[in-house]
Amino acid sequence: MRVALFVTCLADLMRPGVAFAAIRLLEHGGCTVEVPESQTCCGQPAYNSGDRATAIALARKTLEEFEGFDYVVAPSGSCGGMIRAHYPELFRDDPATLKRIEALAGRTRELTDFLVSVLKLDSVPGNYTGTVTYHDSCSGLRELGVKAQPRALLAKLPGVTLTEMNEAETCCGFGGTFSLKFGEVSTQLADNKCGNACATGADAIVGGDLGCLLNIEGRLRRRGDLKTKVLHIAELLAGRGE
Amino acid sequence: MELRSNEFKARAAANLGDAKLQKGLGLIKVKAVVNRANAVAEFGDFEALREAGKEIRNRALADLDLYLERFEREATARGAVVHWAENASDACRIIVDIARENGVKKVAKSKSMVSEEVGLNEALIEAGIEPVETDLGEYILQINDAEPPSHIVMPVIHKTVEDVADLFHEKHGTPRKTDPAALTREAREILRPQFLSAEMGISGANFIVAETGSTLIVTNEGNGRLCTTLPRLHVAITGIEKVVPTLEDASVLLRLLPRSATGQAITNYVSLHTGPKRLEESDGPQQFHIVLVDNGRSKLLAGEMREMLRCIRCGACMNHCPVYQAVGGHAYGWVYPGPMGNILTPSYVGLENAVALPNAATMCNQCGVVCPVKIPLPDLMRTLREEQMARGLKPWAERMGLALWGWAAQQPALYALGTRIAARVMKWMGGSEKLIHRLPFVSGWTDGRDFPAPAGKTFRELYQRSKR
Ligand code: SF4
């Protein structure tokens, strides 16, 4: 199975380990992984800022780069959701491209969803031990139905105990450029998230989206917590989170 | 109501630090959110019900003119008088005229958001007519120097019992008390004579039913019944979009509305008003006027915000909105707060007068998944953002930043170089702690959060190297 990795701009710049972990997991599941070199960003920041023209241009670019693979997998519900749930809407007035975009959207999956629903992995290479709590990112949860998948994967790590936090499904306040435009509100929401996560006593907060994780970690450190780890689930499953 | 939506950012930030407000807002999560979830779970197939609700509202809007005409015919045949108000001042003028013609000095009002929208109380006062709010929440606001509501269903959610205790003590001159039941009793004692002395009662309408010409209200306090039956005149004011074809349709929406709003299977009172008092009847108003307000709604019907007209004003979107939960309703600066307000306010008062609102959301879509009539609220906000971009209503810095980033993201080689540099600079800035405490241009982030520093090399570089 030829799978293209959609690296995501945040993993590329901020946490390359997440993308390497995703490759490791996909190969573990028997995929041939390719990484289209010219990829940059899915265009969601432009789309959610009202810059439709740029969003369309970047969607076209993604289409050219990622057409023709069996699957496109992203270690992010946000970018996965952009391609799967929103790209088609961008081309509603362009029937020729729409057909191709819909095919791309149909083949695009969020990483944990792909590992569970398509690859049906029965083991994962990681060996993390500790108590973790899981933050459900909004796009993954509400656009792609990612909820049980990451938990099913965590259950495959014998050393991991999952302790659910209150309001696991509530937004962490990141919201892309929202986190810059409405900094105070965004910080407050991140603070609520940190409070709920820390109340579980878990030694790691885990999630599937780097945007949320950077936001949560940023607030956590400012609150003075230098101990609790904040990890992408791919890092933990692939054995690179320790 | 004074429009202050362009102050959203400052007022939101101020409200975050308001401990009393935060205490009040905290109740929404424990009450409205949990209660709704329980009611939905108990109902069974709530998704199918939402779909049915959406279909009914769409059907009504698709032939809005026909259903409104039918409504007018049926209501008129049953002795009611239907008035059409194109805008807020029309609506106020119509009601003031009715009051004047009938020598009305005092009006008992049950809760109506449309009356807030058109500024009815101010207009009545100006005409020398005294409006008395009889919904407990609205009454509290009215005696507190006509403070605006902060929620469409729970208008005083921003106040604590202590606040109300102080207010009643001050305004009523009674001994201070903090027992909610005692406070309610006190308000009730003051309001009873008002119902009896008011010549006119004003209500809103949650729905109006085309096939019978009826208006329908749901309340929990019973004040709505008194307002609509005791005074000589009853005036119902509502938006033209509230029409539904049949009673059957209304009953489906009645299953959705209280569950979504407060988690109740049904409200304490559901009142259907069909015509004034008939000869053989012993009570009810002698005249029944229905004021149907457009005030921008037909413009919405023809545009991209059309789906917003399905709204049945349950408040679930704000109850579940993390931003609303944090900043409260007043920050939104007009009648309608939360996600629905992010769309309605700019639509009704002009996008340039509510620039922040369509952007004041993380797009988490918690609102969209609870909305009983499945309004895709984030999508509508995004469309308004697109309109802001097209009309140049976005700040210069944001437009330039986006344009630069958007252009670079389309030049892979340049982008790769830029990110290589950024990764190194940020690593250096993070130092041994690997945390950046201040970043230029993004103080919105770093004022309250650190920025975890990157490892120093991009994935792209490392991957190419690993393949060599
Ligand atoms: S938009 Fe939907 S959830 Fe919000 S008040 Fe209207 S009907 Fe209720």
Side-chain angles (χ1 to χ4, degrees):
Chain A
M1 197 186 300
R2 277 178 74 229
V3 173
L5 181 71
F6 190 87
V7 175
T8 78
C9 55
L10 283 177
D12 178 44
L13 176 64
M14 303 300 300
R15 292 270 273 269
V18 171
F20 282 112
I23 293 174
R24 191 151 173 231
L25 288 165
L26 292 169
E27 287 177 345
H28 176 82
C31 303
T32 310
V33 183
E34 293 186 37
V35 186
E37 243 179 67
S38 58
Q39 63 176 298
T40 53
C41 170
C42 67
Q44 197 203 47
Y47 184 56
N48 277 346
S49 296
D51 183 355
R52 202 176 166 85
T54 303
I56 289 175
L58 287 170
R60 264 187 215 289
K61 178 173 165 299
T62 305
L63 177 65
E64 302 291 341
E65 292 158 346
F66 286 84
E67 224 174 9
F69 291 94
D70 295 328
Y71 284 98
V72 177
V73 174
S76 158
S78 179
C79 314
M82 177 69 194
I83 300 174
R84 205 174 153 85
H86 296 290
Y87 270 13
E89 188 273 323
L90 285 171
F91 295 93
R92 63 188 173 204
D93 304 323
D94 176 354
T97 314
L98 183 61
K99 263 190 87 175
R100 291 167 57 201
I101 277 283
E102 277 174 344
L104 177 75
R107 286 196 298 268
T108 301
R109 296 299 178 99
E110 184 272 344
L111 178 67
T112 62
D113 182 35
F114 184 73
L115 297 178
V116 171
S117 313
V118 180
L119 293 185
K120 304 189 172 30
L121 282 193
D122 43 30
S123 73
V124 290
N127 55 0
Y128 188 87
T129 45
T131 311
V132 306
T133 191
Y134 198 84
H135 164 63
D136 294 296
S137 290
C138 301
S139 305
L141 177 69
R142 283 180 276 274
E143 284 173 0
L144 304 174
V146 175
K147 174 81 187 179
Q149 300 90 323
R151 289 168 176 79
L153 292 166
L154 289 174
K156 297 191 192 308
L157 292 171
V160 166
T161 312
L162 175 68
T163 316
E164 296 285 358
M165 67 175 104
N166 280 335
E167 300 178 16
E169 297 185 358
T170 299
C171 180
C172 72
F174 174 60
T177 53
F178 176 87
S179 63
L180 310 178
K181 280 186 220 161
F182 298 94
E184 293 99 337
V185 182
S186 175
T187 299
Q188 179 63 55
L189 302 191
D191 199 64
N192 297 348
K193 180 58 70 179
C194 290
N196 280 320
C198 292
T200 64
D203 39 47
I205 304 170
V206 182
D209 267 275
L210 266 181
C212 315
L213 295 175
L214 292 169
N215 185 39
I216 295 168
E217 185 174 351
R219 182 58 198 163
L220 203 60
R221 302 296 174 243
R222 184 62 63 90
R223 278 163 58 122
D225 182 336
L226 302 176
K227 208 174 89 250
T228 307
K229 282 177 268 192
V230 182
L231 299 171
H232 190 285
I233 185 163
E235 299 174 295
L236 196 135
L237 296 173
R240 280 168 185 262
E242 290 92 294
Chain B
M1 189 169 157
E2 193 194 353
L3 175 65
R4 298 179 64 186
S5 295
N6 270 344
E7 299 163 43
F8 176 84
K9 216 181 140 172
R11 295 180 80 195
N15 287 355
L16 290 173
D18 183 336
K20 264 204 304 193
L21 171 69
Q22 294 299 326
K23 200 172 150 207
L25 291 172
L27 278 181
I28 292 183
K29 280 194 220 171
V30 289
K31 276 197 183 163
V33 172
V34 173
N35 288 353
R36 177 194 174 274
N38 292 340
V40 166
E42 198 171 294
F43 183 83
D45 197 353
F46 200 69
E47 275 314 295
L49 188 62
R50 288 175 75 218
E51 196 55 47
K54 172 183 173 182
E55 185 276 326
I56 289 168
R57 296 297 298 131
N58 276 346
R59 182 152 42 84
L61 295 170
D63 287 309
L64 188 63
D65 50 346
L66 299 182
Y67 290 119
L68 285 171
E69 280 172 8
R70 172 94 195 267
F71 175 82
E72 182 178 30
R73 268 202 315 278
E74 301 296 339
T76 310
R78 288 163 177 81
V81 187
V82 176
H83 307 261
W84 302 93
E86 200 179 318
N87 51 39
S89 55
D90 278 0
C92 292
R93 184 183 39 76
I94 290 166
I95 296 175
V96 166
D97 285 352
I98 299 170
R100 282 199 174 127
E101 277 160 28
N102 291 281
V104 171
K105 293 273 174 316
K106 187 187 284 178
V107 171
K109 277 186 74 201
S110 88
K111 195 169 152 35
S112 150
M113 290 314 291
V114 176
S115 80
E116 296 279 349
E117 179 186 324
V118 302
L120 182 59
N121 282 5
E122 292 88 331
L124 289 170
I125 292 167
E126 198 160 298
I129 301 157
E130 183 196 356
V132 181
E133 295 287 355
T134 65
D135 172 271
L136 180 58
E138 295 286 350
Y139 172 74
I140 291 168
L141 295 174
Q142 187 178 32
I143 63 169
N144 193 31
D145 303 324
E147 185 187 356
S150 72
H151 189 287
I152 62 169
V153 176
M154 303 171 277
V156 281
I157 191 72
H158 59 284
K159 284 206 183 313
T160 59
V161 177
E162 298 291 322
D163 292 334
V164 179
D166 290 340
L167 185 70
F168 278 20
H169 171 61
E170 183 201 328
K171 302 281 173 174
H172 297 160
T174 49
R176 187 176 186 279
K177 50 185 84 67
T178 52
D179 172 28
L183 288 163
T184 308
R185 207 173 312 121
E186 182 169 317
R188 188 173 291 193
E189 272 156 25
I190 287 175
L191 286 171
R192 279 287 150 141
Q194 305 279 21
F195 289 115
L196 294 167
S197 57
E199 300 91 351
M200 177 191 269
I202 294 181
S203 73
N206 293 90
F207 305 110
I208 62 175
V209 184
E211 72 171 345
T212 58
S214 316
T215 65
L216 187 157
I217 58 171
V218 296
T219 72
N220 278 322
E221 294 171 17
N223 64 312
R225 270 212 184 155
L226 295 173
C227 286
T228 55
T229 53
L230 281 180
R232 277 193 279 129
L233 285 89
H234 171 202
V235 176
I237 174 172
T238 198
I240 53 169
E241 85 283 14
K242 293 286 174 63
V243 73
V244 294
T246 65
L247 281 171
E248 184 77 38
D249 293 328
S251 76
V252 173
L253 295 171
L254 273 179
R255 271 171 234 149
L256 279 167
L257 177 57
R259 286 186 172 86
S260 301
T262 51
Q264 291 169 284
I266 187 92
T267 44
N268 295 350
Y269 299 87
V270 176
S271 309
L272 209 55
H273 306 110
T274 312
K277 173 167 120 61
R278 280 181 224 122
L279 276 178
E280 69 279 15
E281 288 172 340
S282 58
D283 50 23
Q286 289 153 23
Q287 296 179 31
F288 180 25
H289 297 266
I290 302 161
V291 181
L292 297 178
V293 181
D294 184 324
N295 207 29
R297 286 160 174 78
S298 50
K299 208 178 85 208
L300 248 64
L301 191 64
E304 290 189 289
M305 295 300 117
R306 177 189 175 109
E307 292 190 88
M308 198 60 222
L309 291 175
R310 286 207 295 270
C311 176
I312 59 172
R313 304 291 191 267
C314 71
C317 54
M318 60 200 74
N319 294 341
H320 291 77
C321 174
V323 177
Y324 177 93
Q325 286 173 357
V327 306
H330 286 158
Y332 293 81
W334 201 52
V335 188
Y336 302 111
M340 52 97 82
N342 289 344
I343 294 152
L344 284 179
T345 305
S347 299
Y348 288 163
V349 306
L351 200 48
E352 63 284 358
N353 296 316
V355 176
L357 294 192
N359 301 293
T362 63
M363 301 303 223
C364 74
N365 197 29
Q366 185 64 60
C367 51
V369 299
V370 296
C371 175
V373 287
K374 302 182 92 165
I375 300 172
L377 294 143
D379 290 342
L380 298 183
M381 286 182 234
R382 190 183 299 107
T383 303
L384 289 176
R385 295 176 186 188
E386 286 170 4
E387 196 182 324
Q388 289 187 326
M389 189 62 98
R391 285 177 52 191
L393 287 171
K394 292 223 163 213
W396 182 85
E398 185 188 343
R399 276 183 289 152
M400 285 323 281
L402 259 177
L404 195 68
W405 166 86
W407 176 77
Q410 292 173 62
Q411 326 289 326
L414 182 79
Y415 185 88
L417 179 68
T419 47
R420 279 174 74 143
I421 297 169
R424 283 166 175 78
V425 172
M426 284 198 284
K427 181 189 174 179
W428 172 76
M429 290 174 77
S432 59
E433 276 180 311
K434 300 190 172 125
L435 290 174
I436 302 170
H437 302 302
R438 291 210 64 78
L439 263 177
F441 308 116
V442 291
S443 60
W445 181 294
T446 51
D447 281 351
R449 286 159 289 192
D450 291 331
F451 199 77
K457 292 199 174 77
T458 64
F459 169 79
R460 204 181 304 269
E461 291 175 65
L462 296 169
Y463 185 71
Q464 275 167 359
R465 198 170 303 162
S466 74
K467 287 190 72 177
R468 242 186 264 134

